[in-house]
Amino acid sequence: MLTPPSETVKDCVVRGAGETGKLGGNERLISMRRTTYIQAINEALREEMQRDEDVFLIGEDIGHYGGLFRVTRNLLDEFGDRRVLDTPISEQAFMGMALGAAIVGMRPVVELMYMDFTLVAADQIFNQIAKYRYMTGGLLKVPVVIRGQQGGGKHYGSQHSQSVDSLYAHFPGIRVVAPATPYDAKGLLKTAIRDDNPVAFLEHKMLYFTRGEAPPPEEEYLIPLGKADVKRVGTDVTITTFSYCLHQALEAAETLAERHGVSCEVVDLRTVEPLDTETVWESVAKTGRLLAVHESYANCGVGAELVARAYEEAPYLLQAPARRLGMAPVSIPVSRVLEAEVLPWKEEIVATVLEMTGR
Amino acid sequence: MLTPPSETVKDCVVRGAGETGKLGGNERLISMRRTTYIQAINEALREEMQRDEDVFLIGEDIGHYGGLFRVTRNLLDEFGDRRVLDTPISEQAFMGMALGAAIVGMRPVVELMYMDFTLVAADQIFNQIAKYRYMTGGLLKVPVVIRGQQGGGKHYGSQHSQSVDSLYAHFPGIRVVAPATPYDAKGLLKTAIRDDNPVAFLEHKMLYFTRGEAPPPEEEYLIPLGKADVKRVGTDVTITTFSYCLHQALEAAETLAERHGVSCEVVDLRTVEPLDTETVWESVAKTGRLLAVHESYANCGVGAELVARAYEEAPYLLQAPARRLGMAPVSIPVSRVLEAEVLPWKEEIVATVLEMTGR
Amino acid sequence: MKLADNATKMGTAEDPAIQPNSEAAEASSGLVTPASITTDVLPSDSATDLEVPALPTDLLIEMYRKLLAIRLMEEALLAAAEEGQIGGAMHTAIGHEANAVGAAYALQRGDYVTCTYRGHHHGLAWGMDPGRAIAEVMGRGDGFAKGKGGSMHFVSPENGMMGGNGIVAAQVPHAAGLALASQLRGEDRVAITFFGDGALFQGVMHETFNMAAKWKLPLIFYCENNRYSEMTPIWRTSSIEDIFLFPRAYGMATMQIDGNDVEVVHAAVSQAAERARSGLGPTFIEGITYRLAGHMAGDLETYRPPEEVEKQEAYEPIVVLRSKLLTRGVDETAIAGIDEEVDNMIDEAVAFAEKSPWPDAAEAYRDVYVDSAFRDG
Amino acid sequence: MKLADNATKMGTAEDPAIQPNSEAAEASSGLVTPASITTDVLPSDSATDLEVPALPTDLLIEMYRKLLAIRLMEEALLAAAEEGQIGGAMHTAIGHEANAVGAAYALQRGDYVTCTYRGHHHGLAWGMDPGRAIAEVMGRGDGFAKGKGGSMHFVSPENGMMGGNGIVAAQVPHAAGLALASQLRGEDRVAITFFGDGALFQGVMHETFNMAAKWKLPLIFYCENNRYSEMTPIWRTSSIEDIFLFPRAYGMATMQIDGNDVEVVHAAVSQAAERARSGLGPTFIEGITYRLAGHMAGDLETYRPPEEVEKQEAYEPIVVLRSKLLTRGVDETAIAGIDEEVDNMIDEAVAFAEKSPWPDAAEAYRDVYVDSAFRDG
Ligand SMILES: Cc1ncc(C[n+]2csc(CCOP(=O)(O)OP(=O)(O)O)c2C)c(N)n1
Ligand SMILES: Cc1ncc(C[n+]2csc(CCOP(=O)(O)OP(=O)(O)O)c2C)c(N)n1
Ligand SMILES: [Mg+2]
Ligand SMILES: [Mg+2]
């Protein structure tokens, strides 16, 4: 039951917990219940596995144990160990196997326990999965979903806290999705699994236990890739962001409104590749200011990309220099005080917006 | 015999073949001879190996054969097989071994036969080498040089033509150098080997057989990392670039001057991390226009980074929107007509500058 | 000269066993001309001879055609490369052909294959059209991948050829994934993957050995052991002589065979495929072979003495099969007739490729993503 | 229950051999309590007993102190983690201590060690200060790495401890590089690297096996085989039972030993170090051990039955060494005295760490690059 792109889907967008934004009244009333981000992902996997026999899961500790973060919990019980495959610690091999299975029509969903391990399997991801269709002149397609959690905030240090969205976005051939709410996570993951392209589906460790509203399993919905969602309406500055930073941006927007009288529009990109610049420029047309925020490294990051595109595609909209905020160029320390210092979170967002608005 | 930074070194900068720029008269007269880019790198390796017993080379086919591109030719004869180590095809292991040797003071120079293989050893490069100093709180340093050729133009296809400068620049902790002339290649590689930080030294396959002038081995010189070099002086547009694109930019500048009356200043960044934005802003202060060109993917690339920094650090200098040009978002085709289409070379540079100047 | 010991172990050759060139001891790898073969199948751990049934002469003749077509195509490609018609990295399989041809005929329609950048022989053995293959290598619009993949990425899904690869060993887990798909779907398809001796030192090989053995995937690991990785002989980089001992550590069935004899290759692959189809899991086959041409077009071959190559020319796949055909009663004129036919066929293929137009520039931007993104709905 | 067979092969335990819990067969990995050990050194291929000389009682007492210090520190860390003082991934080595301590005392000042994220025991065994270690895990300014590395990156160059690692197996080639440095410089330093059973399935292990064996690096591969990778028992992912057979394929000397007995570990590592120093190359030691605590702080341990852990508690390093000390004539009161001393020492270390200030925020931006870039000049 595929909800056709755009309109109908947009109708379905409903706010979850922790989201303070309003979508100008185009919510559709559906029977909602509260669920966690983990639960939403788990449901998306279950529903797609029920729907399509070719969908299978592969990764470390995901089967009998249900995943280090319990995202795949109970799925082995329901689907058996031939559809939920516990692997050895062999990221390169199982990533390559996912490609092999996908080019003959299977739809593997690979879990990387930490998205940092992208670097361990980087050849298979960027030299193989992302390129296979192109190198074969379109003869094959590679419907692999690579999913797992990224990000800081829990003091995991340099090798377990990186955000890899900008890294994935740098290479053509792979879609990049990074939802911020249970609702979006479920709708986008279902779409990602059905998509014929490889998709990196980036979760965030700070979001796993957050709750939000979503329709019950009976009411299926899909969210198209490549559609941003305005999570808060405003007039002075457009903040584009995604994943956990959305919540930081919404909090920053609240503070800016309350204490500084600055009205921010917060655009949740949701999909980092392709970027829904149309929605962003629409917003900037109103606000005249753009701040692109993300948790991956600022240097050569998605924020810089958005700034560059703004000056390529819509420079006339900008009333102030477009800006970006990302992780500081350090390897991400363990110590909570140091980690807090380098994350591009609420305080930095507030400070940057104040600079941009000259207040 | 270390030439101290900046001045003295700047004095030494002399034009090589294929470079049409002038450096406003501050060349110092030294006895020059023509040499190839390959030869310059080979000399830098030889001289540093002679100078410091801890320098050793490690990689595939580099010893007895002298390297697929013959860059390490004859070095095994001179230094023996304990200083020029032929490895199996085990990029992850020998990259990790380089780290191990470096943290106790050896100075390994690792050859990746194609820089695309960065993805095979990505964990060791980005999760280990780049981070090791930080994770150990500064207790250790990792003076590894990773060198090899990158880039398109010779129809090697998707997995042997990528430029990885933006990828390396995204991760903090590793310097990124990409020289465009024999002179710069030699002076920068010698510096890179002596630098206590890890350095990615990115050569370009189109440059290997190009010739230029450089002092003979007796006249040692070093070029500091992080110093851009103005390779052509101009007044209307600043083009920043590096590696093989420099030559494309210089040709474009020539065409623009001759046919369109547009005067371009061409800044050879030489080092991509750190970026010498000071030199760039100085140039933009004159021209009011910035175009950042590179051969790595445009998306989340060094060009986008420069544009973002321009609006962060020096927006008031810009009289027109800053722009960037990079590889089109495709996996790099083999067919020469298709490859030519996606490379951000001369014609694209000319077209973009014309757009920027409204001519 | 460690690997030379193999010669003894693998029986005497029809030609006198070739001894390593002593002047070039450093550069030579102790070559062998295996005639009988040793199989080495766990858990018995005993070395027994693989039974090599004689194949029907008709089939051998068909295989001979393939060997020759591959050889002539690759010689034409080398000539075109010298003329500057082909850039990049073009690796020919001259001398390796029997490994591909023997294997292809031992497998069934519906089975899968992946291979390396050195994949022309697999492509043609698996039924790809030489004209479109040459066009692809030349980057022309009629190439099977419209000139995007080129020499290193031979692919033809309708023939089960699922792709060559420019990254050493990367294609190996791909084949494991194909075998996994077959297993999960309850099909009886087998996957075979070709790689070189140098690929044994890429970690992903070992990860795949373990998973394939553990999951009993219907998979055949086929190593074309030409005893060189580019310009470096294997004895300079391998810690052991017999590389089939690496996969054997995973409890995998292994065979070390004569990779220059299509009949031997056919027998070994048939046996491995049978094992795979009966759920017994993967087999590792080490086909001893030799690369007669350079590592890639333009290789100056300074790293091995010409005599080494010359000696190997006496025991290369076409020589072996031709003499076998004569022994089996096919006469010289019949063979000469085939030679001419195949020669004409390849000439036509070259002509087709050379006439093929360049791809449209817009083609550069296609196939990055699937346009209609959804499988269904 | 495949791995259980080891029990027989490895001799009878002092305690009756522990049988796999039958109700929990799926979740249990066939645990063993090795008492005698089997060495398995190529090329003889024969299984002989490693000679385990009795160590001086003084040394055993010192080792006992270390075992206890590690144990008490880790218990304190677990408590601190429960209180929320420690975030991230903190892995304790409770039950593994003898592997580190036995090895550390078998090696010399100047030798090198690298280890995993589970590296507290190596850190302390190699002489790191518990106070600064705890401070580091807590992210305090007095941490050895100023709170930047934390639990997964224990490091102390002056003690030869060259770093833990958060990426499975990544530290293994680092140790090979350290061994290479020693070899290239003509020093007699040895490097040892610790890793888990799960690391055997990371390709880079195998790449390193080959290079280390080929180049005869003075390197000891030490596998702490606790038979789990996080929540997954090894029998679910390994294609073979005895993982020392993987490195053996590289022609490497291998030993499978009781990793819970410091004396056994000391003997094995001494032998391996001697091999390494005499230019005979690397050795692989598989220390059979057991992780008594969860994989990391907060692990609910739903994947193994409590009885499995209880049984293993009867044969854990401290129990083993304590009863050995009693046998060797050290009396209960002497031991009790040590226990108290060590307990106080760790209490003080905890207090030190808790009083340690947070690092200055500016510290976050230091140590990305070396400030004075040049080695000299
Ligand atoms: C990961 C990686 N490293 C290095 C290379 C460069 N390279 C291409 S072919 C080759 C040698 C491979 O040797 P082998 O596996 O024996 O196969 P052969 O070429 O002899 O058929 C090398 C090193 C590569 N393509 N990929
Ligand atoms: C490349 C990589 N993959 C996965 C992980 C997550 N992980 C951390 S520890 C671990 C289990 C390792 O098991 P083993 O090697 O047996 O060591 P043990 O933890 O049992 O000491 C895993 C999968 C990781 N850190 N690195
Ligand atoms: Mg080979
Ligand atoms: Mg373990």
Side-chain angles (χ1 to χ4, degrees):
Chain A
M1 192 191 73
L2 175 67
T3 313
S6 203
E7 287 78 6
T8 325
V9 167
K10 195 115 189 185
D11 280 349
C12 291
V13 176
V14 187
R15 303 278 73 71
E19 298 150 41
T20 57
K22 299 270 172 331
L23 190 77
N26 66 343
E27 295 95 343
R28 196 173 64 176
L29 267 188
I30 13 180
S31 53
M32 301 296 274
R33 53 160 193 154
R34 294 187 57 77
T35 182
T36 64
Y37 190 85
I38 287 185
Q39 180 59 23
I41 296 168
N42 182 279
E43 274 175 21
L45 295 170
R46 165 176 288 117
E47 290 174 20
E48 292 310 299
M49 290 178 81
Q50 284 168 343
R51 179 181 166 276
D52 183 348
E53 281 212 326
D54 283 329
V55 177
F56 71 96
L57 313 185
I58 184 164
E60 292 154 20
D61 297 321
I62 63 167
H64 292 85
Y65 186 66
L68 185 63
F69 294 90
R70 316 308 299 270
V71 173
T72 53
R73 198 170 180 176
N74 296 331
L75 296 178
L76 183 134
D77 290 342
E78 182 170 346
F79 299 101
D81 64 5
R82 301 320 329 265
R83 292 190 65 198
V84 186
L85 299 165
D86 272 324
T87 66
I89 312 173
S90 303
E91 286 87 358
Q92 296 185 78
F94 65 73
M95 195 62 76
M97 289 171 70
L99 181 151
I103 57 177
V104 290
M106 301 288 289
R107 303 186 93 81
V109 180
V110 185
E111 175 171 310
L112 283 179
M113 194 184 279
Y114 291 79
M115 267 295 158
D116 310 63
F117 307 159
T118 292
L119 293 169
V120 176
D123 179 67
Q124 287 296 337
I125 296 171
F126 301 117
N127 263 340
Q128 310 296 337
I129 288 174
K131 295 184 175 150
Y132 220 72
R133 178 167 182 78
Y134 194 84
M135 296 188 302
T136 58
L139 290 174
L140 292 169
K141 50 192 186 187
V142 194
V144 170
V145 173
I146 302 168
R147 54 156 291 277
Q149 52 79 35
Q150 64 175 21
K154 293 215 179 264
H155 331 313
Y156 277 87
S158 300
Q159 297 170 332
H160 289 67
S161 305
Q162 291 161 105
S163 287
V164 293
D165 37 80
S166 296
L167 173 64
Y168 275 92
H170 181 58
F171 290 90
I174 185 160
R175 300 293 190 206
V176 185
V177 179
T181 68
Y183 182 89
D184 286 350
K186 182 171 178 186
L188 286 164
L189 181 52
K190 286 170 64 82
T191 309
I193 293 171
R194 297 186 199 185
D195 198 289
D196 276 342
N197 293 297
V199 180
F201 188 85
L202 309 176
E203 303 157 16
H204 196 293
K205 54 172 77 59
M206 294 292 284
L207 292 172
Y208 272 158
F209 298 99
T210 60
R211 291 176 175 277
E213 303 210 311
E218 313 82 72
E219 296 187 38
E220 182 172 67
Y221 67 102
L222 293 163
I223 300 175
L225 307 192
K227 288 277 166 213
D229 181 39
V230 178
K231 288 277 197 314
R232 179 186 173 111
V233 174
T235 52
D236 299 335
V237 178
T238 298
I239 303 178
T240 68
T241 186
F242 51 92
S243 188
Y244 181 62
C245 276
L246 170 74
H247 301 274
Q248 295 289 331
L250 288 170
E251 280 184 35
E254 202 61 33
T255 303
L256 284 160
E258 283 174 13
R259 298 211 204 132
H260 305 280
V262 179
S263 162
C264 295
E265 178 143 313
V266 181
V267 180
D268 182 359
L269 295 170
R270 300 197 293 197
T271 302
V272 176
E273 163 55 45
L275 280 171
D276 180 4
T277 45
E278 203 180 308
T279 300
V280 179
W281 306 159
E282 248 172 57
S283 172
V284 177
K286 247 183 3 183
T287 62
R289 287 183 181 78
L290 171 65
L291 172 62
V293 180
H294 53 89
E295 207 185 294
S296 52
Y297 289 122
N299 211 25
C300 300
V302 173
E305 179 61 27
L306 261 166
V307 170
R309 289 204 200 171
Y311 287 100
E312 263 163 18
E313 298 175 14
Y316 45 85
L317 298 177
L318 294 161
Q319 290 158 26
R323 294 283 295 273
R324 52 75 198 260
L325 261 185
M327 178 73 79
V330 310
S331 293
I332 312 181
V334 162
S335 176
R336 59 191 73 200
V337 297
L338 302 181
E339 188 189 32
E341 173 67 26
V342 298
L343 284 165
W345 284 359
K346 182 180 160 186
E347 282 168 38
E348 266 208 73
I349 299 172
V350 170
T352 309
V353 168
L354 290 177
E355 256 184 52
M356 290 172 71
T357 52
R359 281 181 239 198
Chain B
M1 193 190 74
L2 175 68
T3 312
S6 205
E7 288 77 6
T8 326
V9 167
K10 195 115 189 185
D11 281 347
C12 290
V13 175
V14 188
R15 302 279 76 71
E19 298 151 40
T20 57
K22 300 271 173 326
L23 191 76
N26 65 343
E27 295 95 342
R28 194 175 65 175
L29 268 188
I30 11 178
S31 53
M32 300 296 274
R33 38 128 219 182
R34 294 186 57 77
T35 184
T36 64
Y37 190 85
I38 287 185
Q39 180 59 23
I41 296 168
N42 181 278
E43 275 175 20
L45 295 171
R46 165 176 288 117
E47 290 174 20
E48 293 309 301
M49 290 177 81
Q50 284 168 344
R51 179 182 165 278
D52 183 348
E53 281 212 325
D54 282 329
V55 177
F56 71 96
L57 314 184
I58 185 165
E60 292 155 20
D61 296 323
I62 63 166
H64 292 84
Y65 186 67
L68 186 62
F69 294 91
R70 315 310 297 270
V71 173
T72 53
R73 198 170 179 176
N74 296 331
L75 297 178
L76 183 133
D77 290 343
E78 183 171 346
F79 299 101
D81 63 5
R82 301 320 329 265
R83 295 191 62 197
V84 187
L85 299 165
D86 273 323
T87 66
I89 312 172
S90 303
E91 286 87 358
Q92 295 184 80
F94 65 72
M95 196 61 77
M97 289 170 69
L99 181 151
I103 58 177
V104 290
M106 301 287 291
R107 303 186 93 80
V109 180
V110 186
E111 176 172 310
L112 283 179
M113 193 185 279
Y114 291 79
M115 267 295 157
D116 310 63
F117 308 158
T118 292
L119 293 170
V120 176
D123 179 67
Q124 287 295 337
I125 297 172
F126 301 118
N127 263 340
Q128 310 296 337
I129 289 174
K131 294 183 176 152
Y132 219 71
R133 178 167 183 76
Y134 194 85
M135 296 188 303
T136 59
L139 291 174
L140 293 169
K141 48 192 188 187
V142 194
V144 170
V145 173
I146 302 168
R147 54 156 291 277
Q149 52 79 35
Q150 64 175 22
K154 293 218 180 262
H155 330 314
Y156 277 86
S158 300
Q159 297 169 332
H160 289 67
S161 305
Q162 291 161 105
S163 287
V164 292
D165 39 81
S166 297
L167 173 64
Y168 275 91
H170 181 57
F171 290 91
I174 185 161
R175 301 291 189 207
V176 186
V177 179
T181 68
Y183 183 89
D184 287 347
K186 183 170 177 187
L188 286 164
L189 181 52
K190 286 170 66 79
T191 309
I193 292 171
R194 298 186 198 184
D195 197 290
D196 276 341
N197 293 296
V199 180
F201 187 86
L202 309 176
E203 302 157 17
H204 196 294
K205 53 172 78 59
M206 294 292 283
L207 292 172
Y208 272 159
F209 298 99
T210 59
R211 292 177 173 275
E213 303 208 315
E218 312 83 71
E219 296 187 38
E220 182 172 66
Y221 67 102
L222 293 163
I223 300 176
L225 306 192
K227 289 277 166 212
D229 181 38
V230 179
K231 289 277 198 314
R232 180 187 174 110
V233 175
T235 53
D236 298 335
V237 178
T238 298
I239 303 179
T240 69
T241 186
F242 52 92
S243 188
Y244 183 61
C245 276
L246 170 74
H247 301 274
Q248 295 288 331
L250 289 170
E251 281 185 34
E254 203 59 35
T255 303
L256 284 159
E258 282 174 11
R259 298 210 203 134
H260 306 278
V262 178
S263 162
C264 294
E265 179 143 313
V266 181
V267 180
D268 183 359
L269 295 170
R270 301 197 293 196
T271 302
V272 176
E273 163 54 46
L275 280 171
D276 180 4
T277 45
E278 204 181 306
T279 300
V280 179
W281 304 160
E282 247 172 59
S283 172
V284 176
K286 244 181 9 180
T287 62
R289 287 184 180 78
L290 171 65
L291 172 62
V293 179
H294 53 88
E295 207 185 294
S296 52
Y297 289 121
N299 211 24
C300 300
V302 172
E305 178 61 25
L306 262 167
V307 171
R309 289 205 200 171
Y311 286 101
E312 263 163 18
E313 299 175 13
Y316 45 86
L317 299 177
L318 294 161
Q319 289 158 26
R323 294 281 297 272
R324 53 76 197 261
L325 262 185
M327 178 74 77
V330 310
S331 294
I332 313 181
V334 162
S335 176
R336 59 191 73 200
V337 298
L338 301 181
E339 189 190 31
E341 173 67 25
V342 298
L343 285 164
W345 285 359
K346 183 181 159 183
E347 282 168 38
E348 267 208 72
I349 299 172
V350 170
T352 310
V353 169
L354 291 177
E355 256 183 51
M356 288 171 72
T357 51
R359 281 180 237 199
Chain C
M1 197 49 46
K2 290 181 154 201
L3 281 168
D5 300 346
N6 279 348
T8 339
K9 189 164 147 232
M10 298 177 73
T12 50
E14 288 173 44
D15 302 296
I18 287 165
Q19 295 306 318
N21 182 312
S22 64
E23 296 101 319
E26 258 283 298
S28 161
S29 60
L31 304 162
V32 294
T33 52
S36 80
I37 59 163
T38 305
T39 63
D40 195 344
V41 181
L42 280 185
S44 82
D45 224 53
S46 65
T48 55
D49 282 351
L50 172 72
E51 221 188 296
V52 180
L55 292 172
T57 308
D58 280 2
L59 181 56
L60 287 178
I61 290 176
E62 210 183 312
M63 290 164 108
Y64 178 79
R65 273 180 209 278
K66 279 282 187 211
L67 290 184
L68 204 63
I70 295 165
R71 177 71 56 89
L72 295 176
M73 176 180 83
E74 292 204 306
E75 284 171 352
L77 286 171
L78 281 176
E82 285 225 338
E83 282 170 18
Q85 286 198 66
I86 297 166
M90 186 184 76
H91 312 78
T92 63
I94 294 174
H96 284 225
E97 300 90 343
N99 298 280
V101 172
Y105 283 91
L107 294 171
Q108 299 172 4
R109 210 163 176 87
D111 290 340
Y112 301 122
V113 57
T114 69
C115 65
T116 66
Y117 45 86
R118 195 184 307 290
H120 302 163
H121 54 326
H122 309 109
L124 261 56
W126 258 266
M128 288 174 72
D129 172 61
R132 296 196 61 201
I134 299 169
E136 180 68 25
V137 177
M138 291 181 169
R140 304 301 180 102
D142 289 310
F144 50 80
K146 298 169 276 185
K148 292 181 189 176
S151 168
M152 297 203 277
H153 299 280
F154 268 45
V155 62
S156 174
E158 79 264 30
N159 289 302
M161 162 54 107
M162 305 309 285
N165 214 294
I167 301 296
V168 167
Q171 76 285 2
V172 173
H174 301 168
L178 292 160
L180 176 65
S182 167
Q183 189 187 63
L184 294 180
R185 285 169 161 170
E187 297 171 344
D188 76 338
R189 296 171 194 257
V190 162
I192 187 169
T193 180
F194 291 89
F195 47 88
D197 43 299
L200 271 290
F201 309 112
Q202 275 284 320
V204 71
M205 284 279 341
H206 295 260
E207 297 183 359
T208 311
F209 285 154
N210 179 61
M211 291 178 74
K214 181 69 185 177
W215 293 354
K216 294 204 189 307
L217 295 180
L219 179 59
I220 304 169
F221 293 96
Y222 195 111
C223 177
E224 294 178 40
N225 183 358
N226 62 12
R227 289 150 294 160
Y228 283 91
S229 292
E230 299 214 336
M231 292 69 188
T232 297
I234 183 167
W235 60 259
R236 192 174 288 139
T237 56
S238 177
S239 59
I240 58 168
E241 296 171 28
D242 282 313
I243 57 181
F244 69 83
L245 293 175
F246 292 129
R248 226 187 58 174
Y250 297 80
M252 209 186 294
T254 60
M255 306 184 209
Q256 192 185 51
I257 65 164
D258 177 353
N260 285 359
D261 183 334
V262 287
E263 236 171 1
V264 171
V265 174
H266 188 280
V269 173
S270 299
Q271 200 183 82
E274 209 181 294
R275 278 182 58 80
R277 280 189 239 279
S278 21
L280 295 173
T283 301
F284 180 93
I285 301 175
E286 179 187 344
I288 306 286
T289 191
Y290 191 79
R291 160 165 69 64
L292 292 170
H295 169 68
M296 56 193 234
D299 180 355
L300 300 172
E301 296 182 62
T302 55
Y303 51 90
R304 61 180 185 181
E307 307 83 57
E308 181 182 303
V309 183
E310 269 162 41
K311 280 181 184 164
Q312 292 292 329
E313 275 166 355
Y315 193 78
E316 55 95 339
I318 294 180
V319 168
V320 172
L321 186 50
R322 186 191 289 262
S323 79
K324 193 173 282 203
L325 287 177
L326 292 170
T327 323
R328 306 271 168 97
V330 184
D331 69 17
E332 292 270 13
T333 35
I335 295 181
I338 296 171
D339 290 357
E340 207 186 305
E341 258 176 56
V342 176
D343 200 30
N344 290 338
M345 192 259 283
I346 294 299
D347 280 351
E348 277 167 36
V350 171
F352 167 83
E354 284 178 340
K355 277 196 302 259
S356 173
W358 293 108
D360 194 49
E363 195 53 64
Y365 304 103
R366 292 191 197 117
D367 300 327
V368 179
Y369 294 97
V370 181
D371 291 336
S372 118
F374 281 109
R375 169 177 223 179
D376 52 13
Chain D
M1 198 48 47
K2 289 180 152 201
L3 282 168
D5 300 345
N6 280 348
T8 338
K9 191 165 144 231
M10 296 177 74
T12 50
E14 288 173 44
D15 302 295
I18 287 164
Q19 294 306 318
N21 180 314
S22 65
E23 298 99 318
E26 258 283 299
S28 161
S29 59
L31 305 163
V32 293
T33 53
S36 80
I37 58 164
T38 307
T39 62
D40 196 341
V41 182
L42 279 184
S44 81
D45 225 52
S46 65
T48 55
D49 281 352
L50 171 73
E51 220 187 294
V52 181
L55 292 173
T57 309
D58 279 2
L59 181 56
L60 287 178
I61 290 176
E62 210 183 312
M63 289 165 107
Y64 178 79
R65 272 179 209 280
K66 279 282 186 213
L67 290 184
L68 204 62
I70 295 165
R71 177 71 56 89
L72 294 177
M73 177 180 82
E74 293 205 305
E75 283 172 352
L77 286 172
L78 281 176
E82 284 224 338
E83 281 170 18
Q85 286 198 66
I86 297 167
M90 186 185 74
H91 312 78
T92 62
I94 294 174
H96 283 226
E97 300 90 342
N99 298 279
V101 172
Y105 283 91
L107 293 171
Q108 299 171 3
R109 210 162 174 86
D111 290 340
Y112 302 120
V113 57
T114 69
C115 65
T116 66
Y117 45 86
R118 194 184 307 290
H120 302 164
H121 54 326
H122 309 108
L124 261 55
W126 258 264
M128 288 175 72
D129 171 61
R132 296 196 62 201
I134 299 169
E136 180 67 26
V137 177
M138 291 181 169
R140 303 302 179 101
D142 290 310
F144 50 78
K146 298 169 276 184
K148 293 181 187 175
S151 167
M152 298 203 277
H153 299 280
F154 268 46
V155 63
S156 174
E158 78 264 29
N159 289 303
M161 162 55 107
M162 306 308 286
N165 215 294
I167 301 296
V168 167
Q171 77 284 3
V172 173
H174 300 169
L178 291 160
L180 177 66
S182 167
Q183 188 186 66
L184 294 181
R185 287 169 159 171
E187 298 171 343
D188 77 339
R189 296 170 194 258
V190 162
I192 187 169
T193 180
F194 291 88
F195 48 87
D197 42 298
L200 271 290
F201 309 113
Q202 275 285 320
V204 72
M205 284 279 341
H206 295 261
E207 297 184 359
T208 311
F209 285 154
N210 179 60
M211 291 178 75
K214 180 69 184 176
W215 294 353
K216 295 204 188 305
L217 296 180
L219 179 59
I220 304 169
F221 293 97
Y222 194 112
C223 178
E224 293 178 40
N225 183 358
N226 61 13
R227 289 147 294 159
Y228 283 91
S229 292
E230 300 215 335
M231 292 71 189
T232 298
I234 184 165
W235 59 260
R236 193 174 285 138
T237 55
S238 177
S239 58
I240 58 168
E241 295 170 32
D242 282 314
I243 56 181
F244 69 83
L245 294 174
F246 293 130
R248 227 187 56 174
Y250 296 81
M252 209 186 295
T254 61
M255 306 184 209
Q256 193 185 50
I257 65 163
D258 177 353
N260 285 1
D261 183 334
V262 287
E263 234 171 2
V264 172
V265 173
H266 189 280
V269 173
S270 299
Q271 198 182 84
E274 208 181 293
R275 278 182 59 80
R277 280 189 238 278
S278 23
L280 295 172
T283 301
F284 180 93
I285 300 175
E286 179 187 344
I288 306 287
T289 191
Y290 191 79
R291 160 165 68 65
L292 291 170
H295 168 67
M296 56 195 233
D299 180 355
L300 299 173
E301 296 182 61
T302 55
Y303 51 90
R304 59 180 186 183
E307 307 83 57
E308 183 183 303
V309 183
E310 269 162 40
K311 281 184 185 163
Q312 293 291 328
E313 276 166 355
Y315 193 80
E316 55 96 339
I318 294 180
V319 168
V320 172
L321 185 51
R322 185 191 289 264
S323 78
K324 194 173 283 202
L325 287 177
L326 292 170
T327 323
R328 306 271 170 96
V330 183
D331 69 18
E332 292 270 12
T333 36
I335 296 180
I338 296 170
D339 290 357
E340 207 187 304
E341 259 176 57
V342 175
D343 201 29
N344 290 337
M345 192 259 284
I346 294 298
D347 280 351
E348 276 166 37
V350 171
F352 168 82
E354 284 177 341
K355 276 197 301 260
S356 174
W358 293 108
D360 193 51
E363 195 53 64
Y365 304 103
R366 294 192 195 117
D367 300 327
V368 180
Y369 295 97
V370 181
D371 290 337
S372 119
F374 282 109
R375 171 179 222 177
D376 52 13

